[in-house]
Amino acid sequence: MWVCQNAAMTLSNKNPDTLVAIRSQLEQWAQELGFQQVGITGIDLAQHEGYLQKWLDAGYQGDMHYMTRHGLKRARPAELIPGTCTVLTLRMDYFPESAADPEVLLTQSDRAYISRYALGRDYHKLMRQRLARLAKRIEAELGSGQYRAFVDSAPVLERALAEQAGMGWIAKNTMLINERAGSWFFLGEIYTDIPFNTDAPKTEKHCGSCTACLDICPTQAFVAPHVLDARKCISYLTIEHPGSIDPALRPLMGNRIYGCDDCQLVCPWNKFSQPTHEPDFAPRHNLDNETLAQLFAWTDHEFETRLQGSPIRRIGYERWLRNIAIALGNATKTIEVIDALSKRRDHPSPLVREHVAWALAQHADQV
């Protein structure tokens, strides 16, 4: 168990300017590791805990049972990792400059739309390794301290922590927006028993009267500003939801087969976003501009091998085919589309067969 007070006492016997000096270097160290910003916050998330509980009570988490599995530890860092004093939160840009234009792609019904964060290699391992290296550098400078790095790997309220660390504000679309970088970035955290001075949170949310993100949502998943019903969100449906997708929502999903970026694409703050310089986030296997028919033809083996190291692989082959079947049902009717669906009509999976049958029915009355 970490003991924050012991860490503070140990450091008090050293030069009192040690932590201040390290804080002044953190930004440079983080940038050397590929991060664009670092902020530090305390562990009081009481305000966000109330919001989280209300959201869970409404059932908006759907099948994401992990949201309730750990109780309220998600909003209580010191219960997740006893002894935690402060949290370092870092962001890393991920928008791939080399990818096909996402807004154009969304108008091409025969092509697959995959969320921009998932076109390259999985960010979890890459960021966790970089965070660990940063923690070790801090430890080497201090000669003490305990650290745990997280990247979607534990119950952590990452956006709340980042907002309190002054890295931006939680917007109406529930994304964290940075006034100099938009929202196309990943977040990672380092929990530590080192009592760093914390950064001041942003005192104002700069969304103003804008409702572009709420209005553009294809399935109208936003119950209100700052409130997302995940059960209607396309990202949830294509990634987290394991079973049959509500037939009423299928036509609204368009060609989105993994995630959805619409609320970010229309956000005016993203004019300030910067493309990533991280090679691992560049598109692989033409995933930024491939036809639905081509992806639907992948065998189970091709899915496993081509998506090795990709975040997409976690949904499994069955959901992959389910999602593409819906997109093919929404595509303009062509010989290629009908042929692709017909070849999967007798697929062994009842889930796949159901969605293929629905897709074919969508085209049945089309000339």
Side-chain angles (χ1 to χ4, degrees), residues 35 41 87-91 127-128 131-132 147-162 186-192:
F35 296 101
T41 184
V87 178
L88 282 66
T89 180
L90 296 96
R91 68 174 180 84
M127 286 188 65
R128 204 156 44 237
L131 290 169
Y147 309 87
R148 282 286 298 277
F150 300 110
V151 184
D152 295 341
S153 55
V156 173
L157 281 183
E158 61 176 17
R159 294 173 191 174
L161 289 166
F186 298 124
L187 292 171
E189 299 75 38
I190 299 175
Y191 281 31
T192 181

Side-chain angles (χ1 to χ4, degrees), residues 19-20 23-24 26-27 37-43 86-90 160-168 195-203:
L19 287 184
V20 175
R23 179 62 185 93
S24 68
L26 275 179
E27 203 79 33
Q37 188 179 4
V38 57
I40 302 178
T41 184
I43 58 176
T86 52
V87 178
L88 282 66
T89 180
L90 296 96
L161 289 166
E163 183 180 62
Q164 289 193 178
M167 296 182 70
F196 285 106
N197 289 332
T198 58
D199 296 308
K202 297 293 182 182
T203 58

